[in-house]
Amino acid sequence: MKTIVRFTGIVALMLVTMTGLANEPEPSLETNKLTNDLVFNLDSRSERSIVKLSDVQGNVLFQENILNGSYTRTFDIENFKKGTYFLVVNSSNKTVFTIRLIGDKVEIFKSWGNSKPIFKKVGGMVYLNLMNLHRNDVAIKVTDSRNRVVFKETVKNTGMVQRAYNFEKAFENSYTIVVKDGKDTYYENIVVR
């Protein structure tokens, strides 16, 4: 019994608020006023991203994987037919640019899709970063290999969920961090030896 109480106390102390965990990709799309080209920029220092340009029928006009670093791409839209196009950036967060070509005018709208939590392991620490754009309730729990809940909380009405969990003094075991964001559930496994 003392072991369970001690372990629960250690896990309860693992929760620490953290700021500036991950370098989230920052996509931007603008019109070059001199050439009327579209200029896409992405600062993706910490993760892989996929960029895809398609028309309204779903025909892929361009697709590229970006591993790390700053990325810039210019799209010559002079020969594009008038209509609607989508530039989608898939990474931990899904960003969709809707591009409407009407006459000589270009309209760009930006929206976000569901974001996935980012887990980063450094030594015995596990950092969690989740962009919660819709401000859903986010349920977080940590379970051990016997599916015993050793920590849980619900974060309400927060746009950015940032947590740090310290497993440095945890007992040898396999742990799972479960993050439930609205209808989506994500899992991260940690083994302490």
Side-chain angles (χ1 to χ4, degrees):
M1 182 67 173
K2 286 184 181 181
T3 304
I4 293 174
V5 172
R6 179 176 167 217
F7 180 71
T8 304
I10 290 170
V11 174
L13 294 174
M14 288 192 306
L15 181 61
V16 180
T17 303
M18 189 199 111
T19 57
L21 166 63
N23 293 322
E24 294 291 328
E26 293 295 331
S28 68
L29 182 66
E30 299 172 348
T31 305
N32 182 330
K33 293 184 177 25
L34 298 175
T35 63
N36 212 27
D37 293 339
L38 293 177
V39 180
F40 172 72
N41 290 298
L42 177 67
D43 183 10
S44 181
R45 291 171 281 180
S46 67
E47 64 183 55
R48 183 179 141 216
S49 301
I50 300 170
V51 178
K52 180 170 63 171
L53 176 67
S54 60
D55 63 16
V56 76
Q57 287 84 27
N59 300 314
V60 177
L61 307 172
F62 171 83
Q63 182 169 333
E64 188 166 356
N65 290 331
I66 303 162
L67 297 177
N68 281 322
S70 296
Y71 174 85
T72 301
R73 173 77 185 200
T74 302
F75 296 98
D76 179 3
I77 59 172
E78 184 177 318
N79 295 322
F80 282 28
K81 294 179 182 176
K82 305 303 176 206
T84 303
Y85 297 86
F86 303 99
L87 183 70
V88 179
V89 182
N90 274 313
S91 56
S92 62
N93 301 312
K94 181 177 182 181
T95 306
V96 179
F97 293 95
T98 303
I99 305 154
R100 290 184 34 196
L101 305 178
I102 307 168
D104 291 338
K105 188 175 178 186
V106 178
E107 295 178 344
I108 300 171
F109 305 95
K110 183 176 181 180
S111 64
W112 294 272
N114 293 336
S115 62
K116 301 176 224 171
I118 297 171
F119 294 97
K120 184 176 181 181
K121 299 174 188 174
V122 179
M125 299 293 293
V126 178
Y127 300 98
L128 163 66
N129 194 8
L130 173 66
M131 188 176 274
N132 186 18
L133 298 172
H134 301 292
R135 295 186 176 269
N136 296 326
D137 287 355
V138 177
I140 303 168
K141 70 178 177 179
V142 179
T143 60
D144 65 9
S145 62
R146 292 183 170 180
N147 207 26
R148 295 179 293 195
V149 176
V150 294
F151 174 81
K152 73 177 183 176
E153 77 168 317
T154 301
V155 181
K156 296 179 180 270
N157 197 27
T158 301
M160 179 65 79
V161 178
Q162 297 175 320
R163 298 291 186 261
Y165 301 96
N166 185 348
F167 285 89
E168 291 173 347
K169 295 182 181 179
F171 293 110
E172 289 185 10
N173 206 330
S174 296
Y175 300 94
T176 303
I177 300 175
V178 182
V179 179
K180 185 167 174 53
D181 176 18
K183 296 178 183 176
D184 299 317
T185 304
Y186 306 94
Y187 303 90
E188 184 70 13
N189 295 314
I190 297 97
V191 176
V192 176
R193 296 183 183 169

